[in-house]
Amino acid sequence: MDTKEKIMKQVRFILVMFIIALVVSGATAIPVDPQLSYLLRWFPLETPAHQWISRVLHAYREVNEKHPFLLYGYDWLAFAHFILAILFTGPYRDPVRNIWVIEFGMISCVLVLPLAGIAGYFRGIPLGWQLIDCSFGIVGFAVLFTCYQLIKKYILLQNIN
């Protein structure tokens, strides 16, 4: 297998992993109550994490009971993740022609940081939780940047041959 084929395999592997991560992330936006209930069992009672998750679960249940239409936002959050996953099938099929999708993804990952900081502050989200949210943007950027560099390397090799 020549270098160009190896690069293309790496790019496609990275994209498959990224697509799977988007789908899984979207799927977790739907069964919120069971997930939070499950998480509560993992953290000791008097820890900040347990207290925060307990507060979030209580609020979720209260909203579900009194204003279930607000939870429609979770459905749309899941939908957005699924659509973004579909978007990344373009670079999987033709990474060179669809490199713009990778660039779009990297920009989106960078924008996670100010959104988490600004919205998190105004919504009263604990700093630790905001940093967890930021980590998704940082990891996503690192993955997509690696993919971007490989595609650029592939383009360079294509132009040489």
Side-chain angles (χ1 to χ4, degrees):
M1 183 180 317
D2 73 345
T3 306
K4 287 192 313 187
E5 288 174 5
K6 285 181 186 174
I7 291 171
M8 198 53 62
K9 273 190 158 201
Q10 290 174 314
V11 166
R12 289 196 170 119
F13 177 77
I14 291 168
L15 286 169
V16 165
M17 293 297 106
F18 196 76
I19 289 167
I20 289 170
L22 281 168
V23 170
V24 168
S25 182
T28 65
I30 299 170
V32 175
D33 192 307
Q35 289 178 83
L36 291 173
S37 297
Y38 179 77
L39 275 177
L40 274 177
R41 292 183 282 217
W42 283 91
F43 293 98
L45 274 176
E46 296 304 316
T47 62
H50 188 279
Q51 292 169 357
W52 173 250
I53 294 167
S54 180
R55 181 178 174 203
V56 171
L57 178 58
H58 175 74
Y60 177 86
R61 287 177 175 166
E62 187 176 322
V63 168
N64 191 32
E65 183 182 313
K66 296 178 182 176
H67 312 286
F69 57 89
L70 289 175
L71 300 181
Y72 192 45
Y74 283 94
D75 302 329
W76 281 106
L77 175 64
F79 178 76
H81 279 80
F82 300 149
I83 293 302
L84 289 170
I86 293 168
L87 177 68
F88 281 92
T89 62
Y92 179 86
R93 291 171 55 202
D94 188 344
V96 174
R97 192 168 127 219
N98 293 301
I99 195 168
W100 68 270
V101 176
I102 305 299
E103 295 165 342
F104 165 83
M106 290 188 303
I107 292 166
S108 299
C109 287
V110 168
L111 292 175
V112 166
L113 305 178
L115 177 67
I118 295 167
Y121 172 80
F122 286 109
R123 301 288 186 204
I125 307 299
L127 180 61
W129 215 263
Q130 291 177 45
L131 294 175
I132 290 169
D133 291 338
C134 288
S135 72
F136 287 100
I138 293 166
V139 170
F141 182 87
V143 168
L144 291 176
F145 186 69
T146 301
C147 191
Y148 181 79
Q149 288 180 308
L150 286 167
I151 295 168
K152 286 294 195 177
K153 186 176 179 180
Y154 179 86
I155 291 168
L156 196 70
L157 288 172
Q158 215 174 16
N159 290 335
I160 290 173
N161 294 333

